[in-house]
Amino acid sequence: MVLLTGLQRLLLTFKLRYGNPTTITKSSTPDYTPYAKTFISTFAPEILKGYLTEIDKWVSKSQWLSNSALSYTLVFMEECVKPKAMWDHLKPHMDNLIAHFVFPILCQSDEDIELFEDDPSEYLHRKLNFYEEVSAPDVAATNFLVSLTKNRKKQTFSILTFVNSVVSKYEAAPEDQKQPREKEGALRMIGSLASVILGKKSPIADQVEYFFVRHVFPEFRSPHGFLRARACDTLEKFEQLDFKDPNNLMVIYRNILESMTDPELPVRVEAALALQPLIRHDVIRTSMQQNIPQIMQQLLKLANEVDVDALANVMEDFVEVFSAELTPFAVALSEQLRDTYMRIVGELLERNASKGGDEDGYGDFLDDKSITALGVLQTIGTLILTLESTPDVLLHLETILMPVISITLENKLYDLYNEIFEIIDSCTFASKTISASMWQAFELIHKTFKAGAELYLEDMLPALDNYVAYGSEMLVQNPAYLNAVVGMVQDIFADEKVGGVDRICGCKLAETLMLNLRGHIDQYIPLFIEMAMRVIDAGEARTKSYRIHLMEMVINAIYYNSALSLQVLEAKGWTNKFFSAWFANIDNFRRVHDKKLSIAAISSLLTLPAGDVPVSVQQGWPRLLQGVTRLFQTLPAALKRMSFNLSHCGLQDFQS
């Protein structure tokens, strides 16, 4: 059997790379088109015959095939669907293949039933499309059906006719003669074709609602848990279906709510996932409003029973859509989210410790648990954003969430850094002030940075910007905090491992210090100028963006204190070099921010007493007026561009 699987893999590789004329490009060297034509007309039909013979043996139970062999067989057949030469050979066998080969693979096996009963968590991961093996036969069977119906649309009717015969037979059979596995397989089959069935100009889309009422709704009361789970899953697969009868929508909603408390875990999870797309229906969204606290409680309970990242996505959607209804429960909800996260991370740390990994060894971190943890953080972030108008609640949340921030940063869980820094950013931005808890978070950020996380400065930057903007008084009063921020700028410029992107972040951090702490950081101005000019003078800024940000570091210094900045430039012999570079690049300052900053700096220079202007640049002083004129001329276009970007592309203008 190993030999058969290896041969299948080899044949499939040849067919995919060299055996299909439609996939061979004219630019291919060498040109495999003649070989492909020969293969598809001569060899491929014989190979297909061999596969069909093996399938017949498997169907008649005279031969066993491994999961890998079944998968490769289905993948090969999928490759035979589109080329006409192969389709002519495959088409006569389709009805038999669907009924006796594809369909049985999609039905519950004895192993599936055993998993459902004994290890429901593993059942979810294997069977209900969570982290499913791409080489699994049922996945290959699903892909085959989708490819078949998309490329050979007439086959859709044959498949649906078969499905209808299965569900009708199940409906008509006495209770003791019903075949629940066949019914489940038929629902899975039709669910896999949802996108095709509901596609544009589909002649059968309007029949789906009736099919649901007759063949799906009854399975919410099925004595078989896997059928109840499949009923929920089928509804989720047809999330784009527009129900004509609002009563049917309410039937679905009530059944899904009941299914969320089902005794079987897979049913509860599938019900939760099916609930998410129902939000788009007005009638259900209105009904949900009174049930939101209970729904969130159930979702959190599920998140603690099984690590399925999709549950976090559901929670995030509900927090965003029903923010008003959840505000009174925000504190309790954040506590539960914190506890869920702490449990998951605790299990991760315990697992990694048992593996004997080193302190920084989280290379395999992104598994089901870590992705679930990621989702919980995203839900927390969404919750924070909904509480901007309730500063008292937000302050409470910051205290609640400190353990989340601490455990992530202290244990160097790098893959979760971005979300953690976003949470800190959201808290500090929403409250427009820095609480005692958030200053603790700042200390952790700084410690994290110094411990080797300097490459995460880009992720840290929005939060650091808030600390400077909304915590300026504390920075002035606490030199240790101020020195910490300045030290981060120094470190990023001193670190040879970092690239231009990281250095740009250093420039931005220096900028926010100079813009927000005017009159309080004179002692650092020479340092900022020297860091920027050393790079400019050495010609090490290889990208335009990097050069612009380095120049803006000096421009910010000039705007902060023109006389002091000119003294520094003059003492180092950089004055003419800088001004020449500045005005030579005046048209490269494209953002509104760039132009306004340059205008402000030039205005500051023009107000200097004549005695403060170095003799070396006095001759070129009229160029300042030319520069500011050019900036004012191009400002309206930049404003227009910014307005367009804000309305069409978010904050792109500020990031370009």
Side-chain angles (χ1 to χ4, degrees), residues 59-123:
V59 170
S60 65
K61 294 184 169 53
S62 62
Q63 178 171 287
W64 175 82
L65 292 175
S66 69
N67 284 343
S68 294
L70 290 170
S71 294
Y72 282 121
T73 300
L74 284 158
V75 173
F76 186 89
M77 290 200 320
E78 184 184 347
E79 290 298 314
C80 295
V81 168
K82 194 171 183 178
K84 187 178 183 307
M86 291 305 299
W87 175 242
D88 290 341
H89 291 283
L90 184 63
K91 183 180 177 181
H93 305 278
M94 281 313 307
D95 288 346
N96 190 50
L97 285 169
I98 294 295
H100 302 294
F101 183 54
V102 176
F103 177 63
I105 288 174
L106 290 174
C107 291
Q108 298 277 316
S109 66
D110 291 341
E111 183 188 2
D112 295 330
I113 301 296
E114 186 178 347
L115 268 180
F116 187 97
E117 295 173 351
D118 299 337
D119 194 350
S121 181
E122 183 63 21
Y123 176 89

Side-chain angles (χ1 to χ4, degrees), residues 347-366:
E347 291 173 1
L348 278 167
L349 295 174
E350 186 178 340
R351 183 198 67 191
N352 281 313
S354 67
K355 288 183 177 180
D358 60 70
E359 188 181 6
D360 299 327
Y362 294 93
D364 62 344
F365 188 68
L366 286 176

Side-chain angles (χ1 to χ4, degrees), residues 106 108 116 123 127-129 132 138 180 183-192 216 219-220 224-237 266-267 270:
L106 290 174
Q108 298 277 316
F116 187 97
Y123 176 89
K127 200 67 180 175
L128 298 184
N129 299 320
E132 217 165 11
D138 52 350
K183 176 68 177 288
E184 197 269 351
L187 292 182
R188 185 176 187 184
M189 184 176 280
I190 199 168
S192 68
V216 180
E219 301 315 322
F220 284 113
H224 306 284
F226 62 84
L227 252 179
R228 299 196 300 274
R230 184 59 63 188
C232 297
D233 177 72
T234 307
L235 283 169
E236 186 200 3
K237 293 292 191 297
V267 181
E270 283 292 7

Side-chain angles (χ1 to χ4, degrees), residues 374-496:
L374 201 69
V376 173
L377 290 180
Q378 290 169 342
T379 303
I380 291 172
T382 303
L383 179 62
I384 292 167
L385 292 174
T386 66
L387 297 171
E388 190 171 357
S389 60
T390 53
D392 293 342
V393 178
L394 200 56
L395 188 64
H396 200 160
L397 256 64
E398 291 176 356
T399 305
I400 291 169
L401 296 174
M402 271 307 299
V404 170
I405 297 169
S406 299
I407 196 171
T408 307
L409 297 182
E410 289 175 353
N411 289 283
K412 300 182 179 180
L413 304 183
Y414 297 121
D415 293 291
L416 298 174
Y417 274 14
N418 182 58
E419 282 67 28
I420 284 294
F421 295 135
E422 281 188 2
I423 285 174
I424 299 171
D425 172 32
S426 297
C427 284
T428 50
F429 182 79
S431 60
K432 303 293 190 293
T433 186
I434 311 297
S435 66
S437 296
M438 286 297 101
W439 281 117
Q440 291 177 27
F442 171 78
E443 292 174 9
L444 283 169
I445 291 175
H446 181 246
K447 184 179 178 182
T448 300
F449 179 91
K450 298 294 286 187
E454 64 277 357
L455 294 178
Y456 290 87
L457 182 59
E458 187 174 9
D459 295 333
M460 300 175 183
L461 191 61
L464 291 172
D465 189 73
N466 294 340
Y467 278 108
V468 177
Y470 307 124
S472 55
E473 289 186 14
M474 175 64 81
L475 290 175
V476 172
Q477 296 168 11
N478 192 330
Y481 283 169
L482 180 56
N483 288 334
V485 180
V486 175
M488 293 168 80
V489 180
Q490 287 179 283
D491 289 349
I492 211 72
F493 271 89
D495 195 331
E496 295 181 356

Side-chain angles (χ1 to χ4, degrees), residues 109-409:
S109 66
D110 291 341
E111 183 188 2
D112 295 330
I113 301 296
E114 186 178 347
L115 268 180
F116 187 97
E117 295 173 351
D118 299 337
D119 194 350
S121 181
E122 183 63 21
Y123 176 89
L124 280 165
H125 288 279
R126 281 194 189 178
K127 200 67 180 175
L128 298 184
N129 299 320
F130 301 109
Y131 307 104
E132 217 165 11
E133 293 280 343
V134 292
S135 60
D138 52 350
V139 176
T142 299
N143 293 338
F144 171 73
L145 286 176
V146 172
S147 180
L148 179 65
T149 52
K150 285 186 175 180
N151 292 289
R152 304 292 172 184
K153 294 187 184 302
K154 291 182 179 179
Q155 291 298 310
T156 307
F157 296 97
S158 299
I159 296 170
L160 294 179
T161 300
F162 172 76
V163 169
N164 195 58
S165 69
V166 174
V167 296
S168 297
K169 176 185 173 185
Y170 182 88
E171 182 184 49
E175 283 300 319
D176 60 342
Q177 296 180 27
K178 291 183 184 295
Q179 299 293 324
R181 298 192 196 191
E182 290 187 359
K183 176 68 177 288
E184 197 269 351
L187 292 182
R188 185 176 187 184
M189 184 176 280
I190 199 168
S192 68
L193 302 179
S195 61
V196 176
I197 295 170
L198 298 179
K200 291 182 179 179
K201 300 180 180 179
S202 171
I204 54 174
D206 59 349
Q207 301 174 34
V208 178
E209 184 169 355
Y210 173 76
F211 180 90
F212 268 62
V213 172
R214 183 169 175 179
H215 298 296
V216 180
F217 287 7
E219 301 315 322
F220 284 113
R221 300 288 180 269
S222 172
H224 306 284
F226 62 84
L227 252 179
R228 299 196 300 274
R230 184 59 63 188
C232 297
D233 177 72
T234 307
L235 283 169
E236 186 200 3
K237 293 292 191 297
F238 283 88
E239 61 178 307
Q240 296 303 317
L241 176 64
D242 291 317
F243 286 84
K244 295 177 181 177
D245 187 347
N247 291 324
N248 287 335
L249 275 171
M250 294 309 299
V251 170
I252 290 171
Y253 178 54
R254 287 193 294 269
N255 279 297
I256 292 294
L257 276 186
E258 290 179 20
S259 297
M260 287 185 70
T261 58
D262 193 277
E264 302 290 352
L265 177 63
V267 181
R268 297 197 297 275
V269 171
E270 283 292 7
L273 300 182
L275 195 62
Q276 183 181 21
L278 293 176
I279 297 175
R280 73 183 183 90
H281 300 286
D282 292 339
V283 64
I284 291 183
R285 193 165 59 250
T286 302
S287 298
M288 279 183 181
Q289 290 174 345
Q290 57 187 347
N291 301 118
I292 285 302
Q294 296 88 339
I295 290 172
M296 288 301 299
Q297 288 287 340
Q298 191 59 35
L299 289 171
L300 283 163
K301 185 179 177 183
L302 278 173
N304 282 313
E305 288 183 88
V306 62
D307 295 315
V308 175
D309 68 294
L311 288 174
N313 296 333
V314 179
M315 286 191 289
E316 188 176 2
D317 271 8
F318 274 90
V319 168
E320 186 173 354
V321 174
F322 299 102
S323 58
E325 288 78 13
L326 286 170
T327 298
F329 309 95
V331 172
L333 181 57
S334 64
E335 288 174 340
Q336 290 171 317
L337 288 165
R338 174 202 61 197
D339 294 344
T340 298
Y341 182 81
M342 297 297 286
R343 175 192 61 80
I344 296 169
V345 170
E347 291 173 1
L348 278 167
L349 295 174
E350 186 178 340
R351 183 198 67 191
N352 281 313
S354 67
K355 288 183 177 180
D358 60 70
E359 188 181 6
D360 299 327
Y362 294 93
D364 62 344
F365 188 68
L366 286 176
D367 60 2
D368 52 348
K369 283 189 180 296
S370 58
I371 295 176
T372 303
L374 201 69
V376 173
L377 290 180
Q378 290 169 342
T379 303
I380 291 172
T382 303
L383 179 62
I384 292 167
L385 292 174
T386 66
L387 297 171
E388 190 171 357
S389 60
T390 53
D392 293 342
V393 178
L394 200 56
L395 188 64
H396 200 160
L397 256 64
E398 291 176 356
T399 305
I400 291 169
L401 296 174
M402 271 307 299
V404 170
I405 297 169
S406 299
I407 196 171
T408 307
L409 297 182

